[in-house]
Amino acid sequence: MCKTVEHRGFRCDIGGHRFFTKNKEIQESWEQTLGTEFLTRSRLSRIYYRARFFYYPLRIGNALLGLGPWESLNILSSYLTSHLFPVRPEVTFEDWVSNRFGKVLFSIFFKTYTEKVWGIPCTTLSADWAAQRIRNLSLGRALLNAVGLRNGGQVTSLIDSFRYPRLGPGQMYEAMADQITARGGEVRLGQQVVEIHHEQNLVKALISVAGDGGHIVPCSHCFSSMPITELVQKMRPRAPENVMAAAASLRYRSIITVNLLFRQATILPDNWIYLHSPEVRAGRLQLYTNWSRDMAPKEDSSSLGFEYFCTEGDDLWRASDAELIRLATSDLAHLGFYSERDIEDAFVVRYAKAYPVYEDGYLEHVAVLRDWLAQFSNLYCIGRYGQFRYNNMDHSIMTGMLAVRRMIGLPVDPWSVNAEGEYLEAK
Ligand SMILES: Cc1cc2nc3c(=O)[nH]c(=O)nc-3n(C[C@H](O)[C@H](O)[C@H](O)COP(=O)(O)OP(=O)(O)OC[C@H]3O[C@@H](n4cnc5c(N)ncnc54)[C@H](O)[C@@H]3O)c2cc1C
């Protein structure tokens, strides 16, 4: 997922990948891999709502000024009400956010975007996800920050700079793959694992298919970063009914990026913009040349990546490239940032299973899968979908590192990574 797709010299990520970690080992490995090609970038991300920009993470003065005195009073009184009479227990995303920001601010700055991303009402999305995404923040804290009464240390959502490869995130992982090859390893791309054969609590072989036909790959250890739901479905002999049912209950959201390419430099300063306005279908806009100038071929060229969140099989997922480009062009016309006439070209990138959906009850389903898979002593679930966890790149990498350490006998557990739900990168 943290690859870079290239089209006529224009580059795009699947979602805009900031490199940020608190883990020294991973930081050093990123730095050693790319050296001076690993840029340091400052972050600017804003929310676009009612034809105005608001800083995100929210700066309370900016938000209240932008919304005007009546709306601001409304926000403050709804915050006080929520503070005095919080929803208990906090089960849903809406409960969690409203308790900390009040119902009015919730509906302005959280509801629309969140529902675009997840495709379900905030009343059915689990509070866990809010706790990860906007950890430590509340309107009260933001107000204290604004008047200088609290610093609070580093609040996760306020990270204001990050690292980024000059040619996009794919540059990092392509360089790592080259290192593996240079040391005699083999990286086989384009192989689809269709079956995983096990016997006496050990994974014995994978069956994969590629352009050149099917292959049997015997294995002594198996590290799986494919979606955990698919892993379970591909096990032979098959998993029991209750395990298959738990796998079928877990859902993912997918992402489509429609890149509109322009023959002019970008006129907006942001890295990305959240599109809260309900009249546009896109949820977020990426401005890749503000991540790195070299994401477009020439000084006077740029791109806008319109991100659409969807579910495999729904109307957006089934739409043709031409239909999606028309949709992004019409969203652009609503936003008015650029003229349609300046669009030079466009390309579409689809990525299935981009977000594990934290719906009510998902943890119980994941537990059923984990319990059943735990019997296979040479099988390690790693990565984001491999663990059905909202892992960032550093978490995903760490799960792989711990799995290898476990393989060589160290007492570590790949499932311990990000178990506390720390979300280092606010999106
Ligand atoms: C929109 C978006 C934005 C993000 N932004 C950031 C960010 O700013 N910073 C950050 O640190 N992280 C970010 N992340 C998270 C980051 O992308 C992930 O943590 C990371 O890419 C996960 O790596 P992975 O190897 O676990 O999964 P993946 O990169 O998805 O790798 C899984 C691989 O398994 C393959 N696969 C699946 N099924 C099979 C099969 N049957 N046979 C063979 N192969 C199979 C897939 O093709 C894929 O290559 C973002 C994620 C998204 C969705």
Side-chain angles (χ1 to χ4, degrees):
M1 168 160 303
C2 26
K3 64 181 177 184
T4 303
V5 181
E6 202 228 324
H7 173 88
R8 293 183 44 225
F10 288 89
R11 295 167 170 273
C12 95
D13 295 17
I14 316 289
H17 276 72
R18 279 176 295 156
F19 285 65
F20 177 87
T21 185
K22 291 178 179 169
N23 183 301
K24 216 165 154 259
E25 210 178 346
I26 292 173
Q27 183 67 32
E28 280 171 7
S29 115
W30 281 339
E31 284 173 5
Q32 280 163 13
T33 302
L34 283 193
T36 54
E37 294 279 282
F38 198 31
L39 313 177
T40 300
R41 309 297 297 163
S42 54
R43 166 192 175 152
L44 176 64
S45 55
R46 291 183 294 173
I47 291 172
Y48 190 71
Y49 175 74
R50 284 196 207 150
R52 281 173 182 271
F53 285 103
F54 298 89
Y55 289 112
Y56 187 84
L58 289 179
R59 295 184 196 164
I60 207 60
N62 163 264
L64 297 182
L65 269 178
L67 291 166
W70 294 117
E71 193 81 287
S72 300
L73 268 180
N74 212 0
I75 286 170
L76 291 175
S77 75
S78 106
Y79 168 68
L80 281 178
T81 310
S82 297
H83 193 67
L84 294 173
F85 308 104
V87 181
R88 293 281 182 256
E90 274 173 353
V91 178
T92 69
F93 181 87
E94 179 163 339
D95 300 340
W96 197 99
V97 177
S98 301
N99 280 351
R100 284 156 188 80
F101 293 89
K103 287 262 181 215
V104 175
L105 208 58
F106 160 76
S107 64
I108 295 176
F109 286 127
F110 295 90
K111 187 174 187 299
T112 327
Y113 177 73
T114 306
E115 292 185 350
K116 280 183 187 178
V117 174
W118 297 105
I120 50 175
C122 290
T123 45
T124 50
L125 189 62
S126 164
D128 288 2
W129 191 70
Q132 276 189 250
R133 179 172 189 259
I134 32 192
R135 200 178 166 85
N136 300 341
L137 279 180
S138 71
L139 183 59
R141 268 176 181 253
L143 284 168
L144 290 175
N145 280 338
V147 294
L149 287 180
R150 184 198 270 268
N151 162 346
Q154 185 186 26
V155 175
T156 306
S157 284
L158 302 181
I159 298 161
D160 56 9
S161 78
F162 59 90
R163 306 292 297 271
Y164 191 71
R166 184 176 65 83
L167 297 173
Q171 185 183 12
M172 177 69 75
Y173 301 109
E174 284 160 24
M176 287 186 175
D178 289 345
Q179 287 173 5
I180 293 172
T181 313
R183 290 178 200 177
E186 192 188 348
V187 180
R188 289 190 208 165
L189 298 176
Q191 302 275 329
Q192 200 197 350
V193 174
V194 288
E195 289 183 3
I196 298 150
H197 288 257
H198 62 90
E199 205 182 299
Q200 292 176 338
N201 299 338
L202 288 174
V203 172
K204 294 286 188 181
L206 312 178
I207 309 293
S208 72
V209 290
D212 59 349
H215 301 269
I216 299 175
V217 186
C219 55
S220 56
H221 294 273
C222 176
F223 299 83
S224 171
S225 65
M226 73 166 75
I228 189 169
T229 46
E230 291 185 19
L231 169 70
V232 160
Q233 286 155 354
K234 290 176 197 297
M235 295 295 274
R236 301 289 181 274
R238 288 178 192 279
E241 275 308 307
N242 68 317
V243 178
M244 295 293 269
S249 307
L250 292 169
R251 296 193 312 121
Y252 305 83
R253 288 285 278 173
S254 304
I255 185 170
I256 299 174
T257 310
V258 182
N259 294 283
L260 301 183
L261 314 180
F262 296 89
R263 39 173 171 258
Q264 68 174 83
T266 181
I267 49 169
L268 291 161
D270 309 69
N271 304 105
W272 67 94
I273 298 169
Y274 299 98
L275 301 173
H276 284 223
S277 300
E279 62 278 8
V280 295
R281 183 113 188 236
R284 197 170 48 188
L285 195 57
Q286 296 288 347
L287 296 97
Y288 290 112
T289 47
N290 291 340
W291 292 69
S292 163
R293 184 47 259 167
D294 293 324
M295 294 295 277
K298 291 188 273 168
E299 279 289 318
D300 60 352
S301 58
S302 62
S303 65
L304 285 181
F306 284 79
E307 294 180 339
Y308 296 92
F309 306 105
C310 56
T311 300
E312 279 171 276
D314 73 8
D315 63 328
L316 275 176
W317 189 253
R318 283 184 283 108
S320 66
D321 284 12
E323 287 166 334
L324 289 166
I325 291 166
R326 269 201 299 281
L327 176 62
T329 308
S330 125
D331 279 352
L332 176 70
H334 264 105
L335 296 168
F337 298 155
Y338 290 83
S339 159
E340 201 182 313
R341 284 193 307 277
D342 293 321
I343 301 174
E344 187 192 316
D345 194 2
F347 69 102
V348 176
V349 180
R350 294 175 181 77
Y351 201 94
K353 300 190 175 59
Y355 296 93
V357 181
Y358 281 14
E359 275 168 308
D360 215 12
Y362 82 97
L363 275 175
E364 286 81 37
H365 299 310
V366 174
V368 172
L369 305 190
R370 277 182 67 175
D371 282 354
W372 186 72
L373 290 168
Q375 66 183 297
F376 304 106
S377 58
N378 66 343
L379 173 64
Y380 310 87
C381 293
I382 58 171
R384 179 165 163 122
Y385 315 101
Q387 295 194 340
F388 203 86
R389 197 172 275 167
Y390 210 82
N391 284 337
N392 278 321
M393 288 184 288
D394 58 337
H395 299 128
S396 302
I397 293 169
M398 198 63 216
T399 59
M401 288 163 70
L402 290 191
V404 171
R405 285 171 197 164
R406 188 174 177 114
M407 178 188 78
I408 60 171
L410 298 179
V412 290
D413 179 7
W415 284 97
S416 65
V417 177
N418 196 21
E420 74 292 359
E422 184 176 16
Y423 185 53
L424 296 182
E425 300 272 337
K427 299 308 295 174

